[in-house]
Amino acid sequence: MPSPAAPGRYDSGPHPRGGRGSRNPRRRAGRSRRFLRTAGVLSCVLLLGGAGTYVWADTRLNQQVDLGALGARVPATEGTNYLVVGSDSREGLSERDRKNLNTGSAQGRRTDSVILLHTGANGTTMLSLPRDSWVTLPPYVDPGTGRSYRAAPNKLNAAFSLGGPDLLVRTVERNTGVHIDHYAEIGFAGFVGVVDAVGGVDLCLDKAVRDEDSGADLPAGCQTLDGAEALAFVRQRKQEAQGDLGRTRNQQKFLTALARKAATPSTLADPSRSFPTLRAGLDTLIVDEGTELPDLMALFETMRKAASGDGRRLNVPVADPDLRTSKGSAVKWDDRRARALFAALREDRSPG
């Protein structure tokens, strides 16, 4: 899908950082409201865990991604946009862990899930972007070889594997026109640790889920998934009729259940759960340099709202879930409906 903006906008060179000087009064008022909400959440954390816990957590943030240094950015858009990525990084897993979790031994990082999370005056939207989406990668320089590549069509997952978070952010912006304000990525070990730290996540399945590749072997009905079971569930797609699209729906379903469980008073008020949850999440979490602990709290609050029904959980509109390409089967977005959805997010309108 080509860029929704005029040709050449994203490839003409660096844009002023965030374009934030052009924000209007409504944008500033929205930021003030977000600051007050974040301050409220932060106050609760300080009361529960103490200032020492806050300082400890803040110093543990792995701020690897410098969004301000990226060239060819889109201008700032209304509201706040988070790019939330689940990667298949095995960092933090022992050989035994990899075997028990059926993660394999692949090196490096690839995306297992890509979610564009928007919050603003018209509520929150959790939008899944299938990792096999057929998109246009912007020009980039291979970080390993220094070789330059022109813009070309490829799968969304390729952006991450070829150029890491930087190229993934630029690719999402190029194909949606939505400015990414914050980036957050968590690997397998962190995901499993968070689920186990909250005591498992309650989920109801309409049918049994069995997948040899991911290790999923779950009966139909309501049950509590531990970290290993949860990871297998969100990774499996072989038995999903719609493949990658079915997996993104499962991921949304699970993430909302996880956010709901982590936000319960029994979890927040119990240091034996809240502190391990925070520690497990930070162990493999990678964020951008502009993300501080209050921003992560705001991100969690946004996910909690989506989980509680005070928001929208969507998949990008699709025209062909099995597009044949030179890179194998891919997911082709519905051009007209996708453009309308992205325009609503850019303008902080409720998606029609």
Side-chain angles (χ1 to χ4, degrees):
M1 175 179 168
S3 165
R9 171 187 284 184
Y10 306 135
D11 304 334
S12 58
H15 189 280
R17 182 162 183 164
R20 299 185 184 276
S22 60
R23 288 185 172 179
N24 56 32
R26 186 162 68 91
R27 173 78 57 85
R28 290 193 294 271
R31 186 167 63 178
S32 297
R33 287 192 295 270
R34 290 196 301 274
F35 175 79
L36 292 175
R37 289 196 298 269
T38 302
V41 176
L42 177 57
S43 298
C44 293
V45 171
L46 291 175
L47 288 173
L48 288 172
T53 298
Y54 174 82
V55 172
W56 170 85
D58 195 49
T59 58
R60 287 288 296 272
L61 286 179
N62 186 1
Q63 297 168 312
Q64 260 187 40
V65 183
D66 186 0
L67 296 181
L70 300 184
R73 300 289 306 278
V74 304
T77 50
E78 297 291 335
T80 301
N81 302 298
Y82 304 86
L83 190 62
V84 183
V85 176
S87 82
D88 67 357
S89 169
R90 277 77 173 168
E91 184 176 350
L93 294 176
S94 66
E95 287 300 322
R96 176 176 293 182
D97 290 335
R98 296 183 185 192
K99 182 177 180 179
N100 292 339
L101 295 174
N102 282 71
T103 66
S105 57
Q107 299 301 312
R109 290 145 58 195
R110 283 157 295 276
T111 56
D112 254 37
S113 63
V114 181
I115 294 175
L116 180 56
L117 193 62
H118 172 85
T119 182
N122 284 293
T124 65
T125 299
M126 180 187 290
L127 176 65
S128 287
L129 304 176
R131 70 176 193 172
D132 288 340
S133 295
W134 192 241
V135 296
T136 299
L137 271 59
Y140 72 97
V141 176
D142 187 308
T145 66
R147 181 180 175 182
S148 297
Y149 291 87
R150 296 180 178 180
N154 208 326
K155 295 181 183 181
L156 182 61
N157 188 42
F160 190 76
S161 60
L162 293 172
D166 292 359
L167 185 57
L168 179 62
V169 168
R170 292 179 56 223
T171 300
V172 170
E173 289 194 345
R174 177 190 177 101
N175 290 271
T176 67
V178 177
H179 181 88
I180 302 303
D181 298 293
H182 295 290
Y183 176 89
E185 172 196 334
I186 191 166
F188 284 165
F191 180 89
V192 171
V194 168
V195 174
D196 286 338
V198 299
V201 173
D202 302 325
L203 205 65
C204 293
L205 303 178
D206 296 331
K207 60 181 180 180
V209 175
R210 292 183 176 85
D211 182 80
E212 184 176 342
D213 290 343
S214 73
D217 186 9
L218 306 170
C222 297
Q223 56 206 286
T224 300
L225 274 58
D226 63 22
E229 293 168 333
L231 180 62
F233 173 71
V234 299
R235 294 184 63 216
Q236 66 85 26
R237 67 171 177 173
K238 292 293 180 63
Q239 74 168 42
E240 297 299 325
Q242 291 185 299
D244 203 27
L245 293 178
R247 173 161 61 177
T248 59
R249 294 190 180 94
N250 286 338
Q251 289 169 347
Q252 284 194 358
K253 180 178 181 179
F254 181 82
L255 286 175
T256 54
L258 174 59
R260 188 181 301 116
K261 177 66 175 290
T264 59
S266 61
T267 299
L268 293 176
D270 183 356
S272 68
R273 283 190 177 182
S274 58
F275 187 77
T277 301
L278 184 61
R279 181 177 58 193
L282 292 177
D283 277 347
T284 65
L285 184 70
I286 295 173
V287 297
D288 64 277
E289 290 188 354
T291 293
E292 305 290 348
L293 197 56
D295 298 303
L296 283 180
M297 294 173 187
L299 167 60
F300 179 78
E301 174 66 8
T302 299
M303 292 188 67
R304 187 197 63 78
K305 286 183 177 179
S308 65
D310 185 17
R312 297 164 290 273
R313 301 195 299 273
L314 307 173
N315 266 303
V316 65
V318 169
D320 186 352
D322 190 22
L323 178 69
R324 297 300 167 177
T325 75
S326 59
K327 306 294 183 180
S329 176
V331 175
K332 182 182 181 345
W333 296 351
D334 183 303
D335 186 79
R336 181 184 60 82
R337 292 192 297 148
R339 285 178 182 274
L341 173 58
F342 298 144
L345 294 182
R346 291 194 301 269
E347 299 163 12
D348 195 24
R349 293 186 285 105
S350 176

